Amino acid sequence: MVDWSGGNDRGPTPKKDAIWVCAARDGVTDAPIYLRNRQLAEEWIKAFLAEEVDAGHRVLAGFDFAFGYPVGFGKALTGSDDPFAVWDWFAQRVKDAPDTNNRFDLAGEINAMFPGIGPFWGNGRKQDVPHLPRKGNDRSGHGLPEKRVAEQEAKGAFPVWQLAGAGAVGSQVIMGLPMLARLRAEFGRALRVWPFEAPDAPIAIVEIWPSLIAKAVTATMPEGQIKDAHQVALLAQTLSRLPPARLEAMLDVPCTTEGSILGLDQVRLLEEVAMAPATPPPLKNDCFAMPQGAHWTPVDEALAHLRAQLRPVTGVENLPIALAAGRFLAQDVQAARAHPPAPNAAVDGYGFAGPAEAGVQRMPLIPGRAAAGAPYPASVPQGSAIRILTGANLPVGVDTVILQEDVTATPSEIAFHGPLKKGANARKEGEDMVAGQTILTSERRLSPADLGTMAAAGIGRVAVRQRLRVGVLSTGDELRDPGAPADAGQIYDANRPMLSALIKHWDYTVVDLGRAPDDRAKLRAILDKGAADCDVILSSGGASAGDEDHMSALLEGTGSFALWRIAVKPGRPLALGLWNNTPVFGLPGNPVAAMVCALIFARPALRVLAGGSWTEPQSYQLPAAFSKSKKAGRREYLRARITDGKVEIFTSEGSGRISGLSWATGLVALDDPAQTIALGDPVTYIPFYSFEP
Ligand code: AMP
Ligand code: MG
C-alpha cells in the first residue's frame, strides 16, 4: 500500500505527509518504508514490483489517490472515454523534480480549456496562476460534477479539483497519474488497473483510501509512531488478512471511467479485520494462580504450570531472512522451490548417459562444457561425454558424472575404468527439499543453518515474532550502583548487571528499569513505566511476604498475584503477577537464588512469552567428586564444575556466596527425594551453556 504525496521533498528523516509504503504478506507486515520524494518512491516501487513478480508472487498495489476524474472530464480533455488517455495526457505534460513541479500551471491550463471558471482550484504559491482561482467558491460554469460517485459515497473524501489546503488531494492525483502511466508502460501485460481492467495479472493496481479504516487507525496507533506509516501498514495488513473470497467480492465492481475506491462498500468488514489485534491477547489474570495448599510446590509442577499457562505476548513481523537469526518463527515455513532446483553435478568431471560397463571405457568428448551458472545449451549425444563442473545443471542426455581424477582425457576423448552406476555423482532435482514442503516449524528459534536452508529453498522473508522486551529491575534501599561510593550498611546491586547480561545472552531486548527503593509509590511508578515499555518484567528482591516486600504487596493489589512457594534450594518464594497486563517475575533478592531461579524458571517462561517452544536444558550424568546426604522435599541446585571428568561442588552452599557462581561452570541438580551421594555416584550436571535461549 502506498500513501502518495503531491508535495515537495520531505528530507532525510522520516516525516508525515511524505510518501510511505508498506507491504504485507499472509497478514503480516514488513516494516513501513519512508520515501522522501516521488522520484525515489517511483524507483523503489518499480524495483519492488519487479522483484516480487520475478519471485512468482502476486501484488495488490494500492495507491491513495483517484485513478479517474468525475464523468465527462476525460472526454473533454482528451477526446476519448479511455481513462488511460487522461493518465497519458498528464504523463506527457507534468514536469516533476524533488523541489519544483508545474501542477498549478497545468491545472490553470486545463481550466482555460473549460467554459466558466474551474474546475480546478486552490493555489499553494504566493504568485497567482492564470485561470486558477484560489477559492472553490470562485468557480462557476465549468460544467463538471464536483465529485466522483466514489467520493459521494466515501464520507469526508475531498474532491479531486481542490489542489491546496488542508486535506486536499487534487495535487497528488496530478502528481500520481504520470507515475502510474509509467508503471503501466514498464510492466505491460503483467500489470492491470482496477476497475478499468480485470485484475488478472501478477500486479493489480487499485485505488485505496486509508480513511476507510480511520477508526481502527486511531484505536491501534502505537505511541510515537508516524500516522502515515501506521495507516499504510494497517491497511496493508488488513487487505492481506482478508479471506480471498471477500477480497474477490470487493474487487467485483462495475467499471466506469471514474474509477472507484477498494472496499468502499465493505467498510464494516475492513474495520473489523483492522481491529483484530496484531499482537496476541494479554495473558489471563489468573494465569499464575496455583492450587492452594500448605505444601511446597515441586519444581516440576511449577514448570508444568508455566508451560501450560503462558502464551506468546509479542507481535509478528516479516523480516528479510538475513535479519532473522535468533528470532522465533511465527508460522511454519514451506520451501518456495525445490532444492536443488534441477539435476546437477556433485563433482568436477565428465558427464554422459549412464551406466558405464565394467572394464576400460572410451567415449568421444564433445566440445563445450557445463558449469555452475552457465548451463550447456544443447543436448549431449548418446555415447558421448561432456566436461562438467560441480553445481552445473546436467545437460539433456546426461545423468551420470565420472570424477575427473578417475579419467584420462585428451581434447577429443575420455577413458576410464568402469563400472559406474547410472546417476553416480549427480544430484537429483528436489533430493534435499521439494517445493511446498514444510522445512521449519513455528516456534523454532532460527539458527544460522536455518537461514541457509531457507535461502536455498527460495525464501527471502520470514514471519517471526518481534524481539521480546524484558525489563530488569532491582529493589531494596540497601542497594548502590556498581562502583559508586557505599557505606557498610549498603551493598552493590549485583543482580541487575547479572540478569541484564543473561537476558542479552538470550537475545532479548533489555530495558533497564533501574533500582527501586523500598517505597511503594516509587516502585509503582517504575512498574507503570516498565509495563508500558516492556513485554515482561524481571525484578529481584522484595518478593517475599515481609514488611519491606513491596513488590509482593503491589502485585497483590492487581488481583493477579501469586506467591509461589517452590520446593527448591536455593530460592525463596517467586512472586508472579500481571502489572497492567504485563507479566512480572519477582525473583528472590539473593543473587545466587536470583540466578538459579532465572535459569530454571524464567528461561523457559521467557522463551514461551517470546514465541518459542518450551525447552529443557540438556543435562549429563557424571560421577560425583563429592559426597553428600540430602533431606527429602526440595530440589537442590548446587554450583558445580567438572574436574578430571568428575563433578565437584562449591565448598559452601551459602546462597549469599555469589563468587561461587563465577567459580562454577554449571549446576548439579539433586532430585526431590532424600538421597545419599557417595564419591563416584552418577549425578545430574547441567552446564551453564545448556541454559540456552
Ligand atoms: P530481599 O528478597 O529483598 O529480602 O533480599 C534478599 C537478600 O538479597 C538481601 O540480603 C538483599 O540485600 C539481597 N539483595 C537483594 N537485591 C539484591 C541485588 N540486586 N544485588 C545484591 N543483593 C541483593
Ligand atoms: Mg529487599
Side-chain angles (χ1 to χ4, degrees):
M1 295 298 116
V2 181
D3 190 335
W4 194 245
S5 160
N8 288 346
D9 186 288
R10 297 286 287 149
T13 351
K15 285 183 195 68
K16 68 183 180 103
D17 296 337
I19 297 164
W20 284 91
V21 189
C22 184
R25 308 147 200 273
D26 291 329
V28 179
T29 59
D30 299 355
I33 292 183
Y34 168 77
L35 294 159
R36 56 185 287 183
N37 64 45
R38 284 182 295 279
Q39 285 69 34
L40 288 175
E42 184 168 336
E43 244 173 72
W44 189 94
I45 291 165
K46 274 188 185 155
F48 173 85
L49 292 175
E51 204 174 292
E52 296 298 329
V53 171
D54 277 354
H57 299 160
R58 295 191 68 193
V59 186
L60 182 82
F63 293 85
D64 69 331
F65 55 81
F67 286 7
Y69 283 89
V71 63
F73 174 78
K75 181 92 190 226
L77 184 75
T78 67
S80 158
D81 265 331
D82 178 0
F84 297 127
V86 177
W87 291 23
D88 295 336
W89 193 96
F90 279 110
Q92 279 155 25
R93 289 167 182 82
V94 168
K95 293 197 185 77
D96 195 7
D99 291 312
T100 149
N101 64 70
N102 64 344
R103 67 187 196 268
F104 295 117
D105 314 272
L106 207 54
E109 283 167 36
I110 295 172
N111 279 355
M113 298 163 66
F114 284 81
I117 302 172
F120 287 106
W121 68 277
N123 179 351
R125 300 209 194 111
K126 282 209 186 75
Q127 236 173 345
D128 282 338
V129 174
H131 306 289
L132 186 64
R134 286 191 180 270
K135 296 214 170 88
N137 285 340
D138 292 343
R139 295 172 304 158
S140 62
H142 57 73
L144 290 168
E146 183 62 0
K147 289 185 168 181
R148 299 182 298 158
V149 172
E151 279 119 25
Q152 290 162 29
E153 286 171 21
K155 266 203 206 136
F158 276 59
V160 291
W161 307 127
Q162 186 184 341
L163 301 182
V169 297
S171 285
Q172 57 170 339
V173 182
I174 297 179
M175 306 314 293
L177 294 181
M179 177 267 305
L180 292 186
R182 287 188 290 272
L183 289 184
R184 277 190 81 218
E186 170 108 7
F187 290 97
R189 186 61 187 83
L191 180 150
R192 303 275 90 171
V193 179
W194 174 90
F196 309 140
E197 301 168 311
D200 58 352
I203 306 167
I205 300 276
V206 299
E207 181 184 335
I208 53 163
W209 190 48
S211 300
L212 282 185
I213 56 162
K215 260 190 258 160
V217 169
T218 313
T220 59
M221 184 73 191
E223 216 176 305
Q225 170 80 292
I226 293 171
K227 187 182 162 195
D228 310 46
H230 177 58
Q231 184 168 279
V232 277
L234 188 62
L235 188 58
Q237 175 178 287
T238 302
L239 291 172
S240 164
R241 282 185 178 182
L242 286 178
R246 306 305 291 265
L247 183 60
E248 203 175 323
M250 228 173 241
L251 287 163
D252 187 15
V253 302
C255 167
T256 70
T257 58
E258 291 190 337
S260 188
I261 295 169
L262 184 67
L264 196 49
D265 56 348
Q266 298 285 338
V267 178
R268 294 261 312 269
L269 172 67
L270 287 176
E271 286 274 332
E272 204 176 287
V273 176
M275 295 289 273
T279 41
L283 298 173
K284 294 220 178 70
N285 227 27
D286 61 356
C287 66
F288 295 121
M290 277 275 208
Q292 285 301 306
H295 80 297
W296 291 68
T297 307
V299 170
D300 290 338
E301 208 172 288
L303 289 174
H305 188 95
L306 290 173
R307 182 176 188 174
Q309 294 296 320
L310 296 180
R311 300 276 173 272
V313 293
T314 51
V316 177
E317 62 184 336
N318 274 321
L319 286 185
I321 59 164
L323 301 181
R327 297 293 196 97
F328 296 101
L329 277 181
Q331 297 169 357
D332 290 354
V333 174
Q334 276 86 27
R337 70 166 185 173
H339 183 256
N344 66 60
V347 297
D348 289 343
Y350 297 87
F352 56 90
E357 301 295 316
V360 174
Q361 303 294 317
R362 291 180 191 284
M363 288 181 193
L365 187 58
I366 65 164
R369 62 167 209 176
Y376 182 72
S379 64
V380 175
Q382 176 69 36
S384 294
I386 185 171
R387 178 75 172 131
I388 192 164
L389 302 178
T390 307
N393 284 358
L394 299 184
V396 179
V398 171
D399 56 24
T400 304
V401 180
I402 174 101
L403 193 65
Q404 67 182 22
E405 285 83 347
D406 295 344
V407 169
T408 317
T410 71
S412 60
E413 190 191 61
I414 61 165
F416 62 90
H417 288 277
L420 194 65
K421 269 195 241 157
K422 183 183 173 78
N425 298 316
R427 305 169 180 144
K428 293 193 191 66
E429 172 185 337
E431 71 174 21
D432 183 21
M433 297 178 270
V434 299
Q437 174 190 345
T438 297
I439 50 172
L440 299 169
T441 50
S442 186
E443 300 189 344
R444 178 185 176 88
R445 185 166 186 271
L446 288 173
S447 69
D450 293 343
L451 304 197
T453 300
M454 289 191 292
I459 289 152
R461 289 182 160 265
V462 65
V464 292
R465 292 281 169 183
Q466 279 158 352
R467 207 184 281 278
L468 190 76
R469 296 173 57 82
V470 184
V472 179
L473 168 66
S474 290
T475 68
D477 277 342
E478 73 278 28
L479 300 180
R480 285 294 169 271
D481 282 342
D487 63 36
Q490 299 172 325
I491 61 166
Y492 290 111
D493 178 1
N495 291 347
R496 200 152 44 103
M498 179 176 79
L499 295 173
S500 297
L502 200 56
I503 301 301
K504 210 170 149 203
H505 171 69
W506 289 336
D507 213 13
Y508 307 130
T509 301
V510 178
V511 179
D512 186 356
L513 297 177
R515 284 186 284 113
D518 289 322
D519 172 316
R520 219 157 277 189
K522 293 202 172 117
L523 179 57
R524 175 191 297 279
I526 292 176
L527 286 175
D528 283 345
K529 183 184 158 13
D533 291 352
C534 311
D535 299 311
V536 52
I537 296 171
L538 210 57
S539 81
S540 64
S544 305
D547 296 350
E548 296 294 349
D549 287 323
H550 302 289
M551 180 61 78
S552 296
L554 280 176
L555 286 176
E556 182 113 58
T558 66
S560 63
F561 175 65
L563 195 64
W564 284 16
R565 303 187 337 132
I566 305 174
V568 63
K569 186 182 169 188
R572 286 203 301 173
L574 275 190
L576 299 161
L578 301 176
W579 191 263
N580 296 341
N581 289 329
T582 300
V584 179
F585 277 78
L587 303 174
N590 192 306
V592 177
M595 182 60 139
V596 168
C597 288
L599 295 176
I600 302 299
F601 302 106
R603 185 198 67 87
L606 294 182
R607 199 174 200 275
V608 172
L609 294 173
S613 53
W614 183 270
T615 59
E616 268 149 38
Q618 176 71 53
S619 62
Y620 303 88
Q621 294 296 311
L622 289 173
F626 63 94
S627 58
K628 177 182 164 69
S629 68
K630 169 193 172 296
K631 283 193 232 132
R634 287 209 282 179
R635 170 85 48 93
E636 290 190 20
Y637 292 100
L638 311 175
R639 283 149 283 175
R641 71 181 184 193
I642 304 175
T643 308
D644 299 331
K646 296 198 174 91
V647 188
E648 46 170 345
I649 54 172
F650 192 56
T651 43
S652 159
E653 287 180 25
S655 66
R657 306 267 300 256
I658 192 170
S659 68
L661 282 175
S662 293
W663 173 92
T665 57
L667 300 175
V668 156
L670 300 181
D671 235 344
D672 309 15
Q675 50 188 296
T676 307
I677 293 142
L679 279 175
D681 284 355
V683 289
T684 302
Y685 171 75
I686 316 170
F688 284 137
Y689 63 71
S690 279
F691 296 99
E692 59 184 12

